[in-house]
Amino acid sequence: MSLIPSNARFFNANGVHVARALERTLAWIYSGIPVDPGSIILTDELIAYAQSEGVSEEKLRDFIAASYSQAIRPYHMLGFAKIESHYCSNIGGGVAIDEVWKRYYSAPLGSKAWWLANVAALKVLALQLGVDIRSIPGSIGAGAISCMQIMPVNWVRFGGGDYENVYISVVRAGQYLNATGYKNSFPEAVHRYNPNGGQAYVDMVVAAAAAWEAHFTGSAPDQEPELDKPSFLMTVAIFLEFLNQEMSGDGGDGGGPVPPVDGKLVHPFPTFTGYGYLFGSPVYVGGVWVIDHPGTDFIGPLGDPILASHNGKITWAQYLSRFSWLAVRWWISGNVVINQSYLEDGRQICTFNGHGLDNSYSVQKGDTVTAGEQIMRNGNTGFSSAPHDHFAVKVGGSGPYCDGGSWEDPLKWIGK
Ligand SMILES: [Zn+2]
């Protein structure tokens, strides 16, 4: 496939792919070079010192790997984290959005824009994670988020992501230290990170870092790779690779040339005759509760058409054994079709259909479908006692199956 964008028609026809590839390229640049915490070599001396500081080996690995990924010396980061956040041990006791609004109202006119920007950043983050904005915790007083106490604006501008994850939090702290001039001076970068602390704060951080440095000796991780931002050429190469993936339908996160779902779903089984399990009703197997049913079961004639409930991309069209791990995780089995797309607010949506008739697939993985198009026929395969379509709707999350998103009531989406 040619990737030469020869004229405006190219962008008009492929704008979605270009945008997705750009988004992935930016995420790649900002994420640094991932370092596997498991690959860090630790000396007994370092482990012992960490223990005396109340830092578990697992956390120590996260700290060191995340520091390397941002070319921050790990003892600098550990010293900084000791003073700033008790080694990343507390993600804050307030509701971030409430704290930020409070500061907005009390701020002088000149700094209201900054607090508004933090409100906007929290909205972006809630969308990115597919969570309720009020579930994001922040420090009382300013609404800084994650255990490294980073303001929402900075958290989001460096890529956002799971604020409960220590590795990601330390990566974000490293990005911020780099932005405040770490390469020139560690103490000055610390001062700019937290100007309210004054010189006393900086002195405490430097002393704590020196204490850690004394234990980074011998075969301790002395790797300190010189990690710079990727070169321009490298960035272009990565962008072209992502664009190529997007245009060949191998986009990882998906994102095909389909319009977003406008908030309503087509009924996947219009000729159904009755209901089985409804959304949220408890499922018992052998008298034991196993799950609250994550979808709706539509009972109906064997062999009748099952339809795509929205425009999207087929990310799964394959038999799923009821004993497989995915079947248990998704609570779906037999012949399964998963259709992935986007909502107008940018969140992902995935719909799952299960128990289809054998040899009845009319789509395959990678196909784009339009709402109402037949995807398979009604069956009784997998963990099923009568022909029915198990239909489930997952909103938010990421990847081809909306991992991390939440199940929602299909009947609400269909509008009955
Ligand atoms: Zn079911």
Side-chain angles (χ1 to χ4, degrees):
M1 171 175 301
S2 165
L3 288 173
I4 313 285
S6 53
N7 55 29
R9 211 178 304 155
F10 174 89
F11 192 85
N12 289 341
N14 300 289
V16 175
H17 300 303
V18 175
R20 287 281 306 152
L22 263 177
E23 188 186 340
R24 290 173 66 189
T25 307
L26 286 173
W28 179 83
I29 291 171
Y30 278 128
S31 66
I33 296 164
V35 177
D36 175 10
S39 72
I40 301 295
I41 302 157
L42 298 174
T43 60
D44 293 345
E45 184 194 353
L46 198 52
I47 293 171
Y49 183 66
Q51 231 155 35
S52 74
E53 286 286 293
V55 177
S56 70
E57 183 180 328
E58 190 195 356
K59 201 181 233 187
L60 182 64
R61 287 180 181 283
D62 278 342
F63 261 99
I64 296 174
S67 301
Y68 280 146
S69 84
Q70 298 304 317
I72 302 278
R73 289 179 176 78
Y75 43 84
H76 282 165
M77 182 62 84
L78 282 156
F80 173 59
K82 177 179 185 174
I83 307 303
E84 174 72 13
S85 68
H86 304 287
Y87 299 115
C88 212
S89 60
N90 182 353
I91 62 171
V95 174
I97 187 75
D98 290 351
E99 298 300 326
V100 166
W101 273 126
K102 265 187 238 163
R103 291 295 289 260
Y104 168 81
Y105 287 121
S106 64
L109 213 53
S111 47
K112 281 197 193 299
W114 158 254
W115 294 103
L116 262 189
N118 280 290
V119 169
L122 282 168
K123 288 184 177 175
V124 169
L125 182 60
L127 273 181
Q128 182 194 41
L129 298 176
V131 301
D132 182 342
I133 195 167
R134 300 191 53 80
S135 72
I136 301 174
S139 68
I140 291 174
I145 61 172
S146 95
C147 61
M148 291 303 286
Q149 308 289 305
I150 293 167
M151 287 308 293
V153 159
N154 293 319
W155 184 265
V156 167
R157 98 170 137 125
F158 291 130
D162 182 4
Y163 46 82
E164 290 180 358
N165 183 297
V166 171
Y167 179 89
I168 294 177
S169 302
V170 177
V171 165
R172 300 282 169 265
Q175 290 169 306
Y176 195 46
L177 280 174
N178 277 322
T180 54
Y182 174 80
K183 273 217 163 75
N184 297 324
S185 162
F186 172 53
E188 274 176 35
V190 167
H191 176 64
R192 286 197 204 103
Y193 196 113
N194 186 354
N196 297 332
Q199 190 58 40
Y201 175 82
V202 174
D203 290 346
M204 281 194 291
V205 169
V206 169
W212 274 99
E213 186 177 3
H215 299 277
F216 274 81
T217 53
S219 61
D222 212 12
Q223 303 143 10
E224 290 193 20
E226 208 26 70
L227 301 180
D228 259 319
K229 284 296 170 210
S231 71
F232 176 73
L233 265 183
M234 185 70 179
T235 306
V236 170
I238 291 287
F239 169 71
L240 288 176
E241 169 58 24
F242 285 150
L243 183 59
N244 200 6
Q245 286 180 12
E246 291 294 332
M247 296 191 62
S248 58
D250 180 24
D253 278 358
V258 290
V261 177
D262 66 1
K264 213 159 182 199
L265 297 181
V266 168
H267 201 299
F269 192 8
T271 59
F272 83 107
T273 54
Y275 294 101
Y277 281 109
L278 294 175
F279 178 78
S281 53
V283 177
Y284 297 92
V285 178
V288 178
W289 175 88
V290 285
I291 198 169
D292 288 334
H293 199 257
T296 301
D297 288 339
F298 297 111
I299 299 170
L302 191 72
D304 273 16
I306 302 297
L307 312 179
S309 49
H310 55 84
N311 301 330
K313 191 164 87 177
I314 301 300
T315 53
W316 182 287
Q318 185 183 332
Y319 192 86
L320 192 53
S321 159
R322 58 174 284 199
F323 300 109
S324 68
W325 178 72
L326 282 176
V328 173
R329 186 170 149 202
W330 292 335
W331 199 253
I332 196 169
S333 57
N335 291 306
V336 171
V337 173
I338 304 176
N339 179 7
Q340 181 228 37
S341 189
Y342 288 85
L343 300 173
E344 281 169 337
D345 63 15
R347 286 182 301 164
Q348 287 203 157
I349 183 168
C350 294
T351 48
F352 295 60
N353 295 81
H355 311 301
L357 193 65
D358 277 334
N359 303 313
S360 75
Y361 286 117
S362 38
V363 291
Q364 56 184 13
K365 186 181 166 186
D367 285 355
T368 52
V369 288
T370 43
E373 186 179 333
Q374 182 169 331
I375 52 177
M376 61 180 174
R377 292 195 284 134
N378 189 40
N380 192 23
T381 54
F383 190 25
S384 172
S385 53
H388 77 283
D389 178 41
H390 172 101
F391 179 61
V393 179
K394 200 171 213 183
V395 175
S398 63
Y401 320 121
C402 296
D403 289 338
S406 39
W407 300 111
E408 295 194 359
D409 187 352
L411 292 183
K412 284 192 184 144
W413 278 91
I414 296 168
K416 296 191 190 176

